[in-house]
Amino acid sequence: MRVRPGLSRSSSRPQGHSSTPWLYLAPALVVLGGLLVYPIYQLGLISFFQYTQAQVSGGEPTTFEGFGNYSALFSDSQFWQVLVATVLFAGACVVSTLAVGCALAVLLTRVRALPRLVLMLAALGAWATPAVTGSTVWLLLFDPDFGPVNRILGLGDHSWTYGRLSAFFLVLLEVVWCSFPFVMVTVYAGIRAVPSEVLEAAALDGASQWRIWRSILTPMLRPILTVVTIQSVIWDFKVFTQIYVMTNGGGIAGQNLVLNVYAYQQAFASSKYSLGSAIGVVMLLMLLAVTLVYLRLLRRQGEEL
């Protein structure tokens, strides 16, 4: 577009309407401020005080601890064990969710309309199932006395929630089951946007399905894969309901604790609200770092487009 001499590009844009978008965003910002900003402020505030059941009931005044709660948290060996377990568990959930979701997305492009519709409805049913309901159903499926899984596999009265790894594996299956629909639908939409001529040319050249996925689809779907990966990291890192329900609060002797459940135990089971708040702040900062990476990648992809 040619610009008349004497006029810059910035001067050709309409002026005096810079505040209009903020007026439209104001109601949403007010709601988000009430639902997010104030609770986060209270969370951080409590983490700097001595806040136990005595302070909640008004029996003793609160005492300013500074970074004492964080010092106690970082010097606790159990915290680091739970942090490592959370990172490993979340990583396994993310990799498994992406693998299942991408594989089913490719399958959707290979089947006819009716099987595709059935698979989509089944996936949406898993996506819409509440976490408590889904966790309870999976416990019934793997129940050592009445569950059909042990009968089919011939495991007798084997208890999946007794062992540390088997309990984590059972929770992983439920997390993947309720998370893969998002990845499947998103990646499927991205595959449908790829020109069919590109895929047909690769097939005519003798490329296998795996080679097509690795050399053609993955580079073209990189923006979408980045989004679903970071979203899955955020969701799986803060898993609470599945662990709490399926391992009865963190497993035997806390062997299946993750950070969210550990914070809940410290705050409500042990009445150490300040220590639980400190764990919440640490989680918030870690997820904020992931979110900033997510936003930076989105901005870079927008500039490339």
Side-chain angles (χ1 to χ4, degrees):
M1 181 181 69
R2 298 183 60 186
V3 182
R4 288 182 298 172
L7 291 176
S8 64
R9 291 182 180 272
S10 59
S11 62
S12 63
R13 297 174 183 173
Q15 302 292 328
H17 300 284
S18 59
S19 61
T20 302
W22 292 105
L23 293 177
Y24 287 108
L25 291 173
L29 292 177
V30 171
V31 174
L32 289 176
L35 295 179
L36 294 178
V37 176
Y38 182 73
I40 291 175
Y41 165 75
Q42 287 292 335
L43 182 73
L45 185 64
I46 293 175
S47 67
F48 288 104
F49 285 86
Q50 180 186 3
Y51 211 77
T52 62
Q53 187 61 42
Q55 282 75 37
V56 172
S57 59
E60 296 181 10
T62 56
T63 304
F64 181 73
E65 295 286 340
F67 289 95
N69 291 315
Y70 294 94
S71 177
L73 181 65
F74 293 144
S75 61
D76 185 7
S77 60
Q78 186 180 16
F79 166 75
W80 294 105
Q81 294 174 4
V82 173
L83 176 61
V84 172
T86 303
V87 172
L88 293 177
F89 176 73
C93 289
V94 170
V95 172
S96 302
T97 302
L98 291 176
V100 174
C102 292
L104 291 177
V106 175
L107 178 62
L108 286 176
T109 64
R110 299 289 186 267
V111 298
R112 296 181 180 274
L114 183 58
R116 185 188 307 124
L117 177 62
V118 173
L119 180 56
M120 293 284 283
L121 291 177
L124 292 177
W127 174 261
T129 302
V132 174
T133 305
S135 301
T136 305
V137 170
W138 277 84
L139 280 178
L140 291 175
L141 292 175
F142 287 83
D143 185 85
D145 297 320
F146 307 104
V149 175
N150 281 7
R151 297 182 182 180
I152 295 174
L153 299 179
L155 297 178
D157 58 351
H158 172 72
S159 177
W160 291 82
T161 58
Y162 186 79
R164 183 171 187 261
L165 293 180
S166 61
F168 269 128
F169 177 72
L170 181 58
V171 177
L172 181 144
L173 292 178
E174 203 281 333
V175 171
V176 172
W177 176 75
C178 67
S179 302
F180 83 86
F182 170 75
V183 178
M184 183 191 74
V185 173
T186 306
V187 174
Y188 172 70
I191 294 176
R192 299 298 296 178
V194 174
S196 58
E197 295 82 2
V198 177
L199 303 179
E200 291 174 359
L204 290 176
D205 290 339
S208 63
Q209 293 297 327
W210 169 248
R211 183 64 183 273
I212 292 175
W213 170 262
R214 183 171 61 88
S215 302
I216 299 177
L217 289 178
T218 299
M220 300 184 73
L221 297 176
R222 185 174 290 114
I224 292 177
L225 293 175
T226 301
V227 170
V228 297
T229 299
I230 297 181
Q231 289 278 15
S232 298
V233 169
I234 295 174
W235 290 339
D236 295 338
F237 188 81
K238 58 185 184 67
V239 166
F240 173 82
T241 305
Q242 292 88 342
I243 288 284
Y244 191 83
V245 172
M246 300 181 72
T247 64
N248 195 22
I252 301 174
Q255 63 181 2
N256 296 114
L257 283 177
V258 293
L259 281 179
N260 246 349
V261 180
Y262 183 58
Y264 176 84
Q265 287 190 352
Q266 294 296 323
F268 297 100
S270 301
S271 296
K272 299 177 181 178
Y273 300 101
S274 54
L275 190 59
S277 298
I279 300 173
V281 171
V282 172
M283 291 185 61
L284 175 64
L285 294 177
M286 296 178 69
L287 291 178
L288 181 62
V290 175
T291 303
L292 291 178
V293 173
Y294 169 56
L295 295 176
R296 184 173 181 179
L297 290 174
L298 283 181
R299 182 179 179 182
R300 181 181 303 174
Q301 291 163 9
E303 293 175 353
E304 293 176 354
L305 295 175

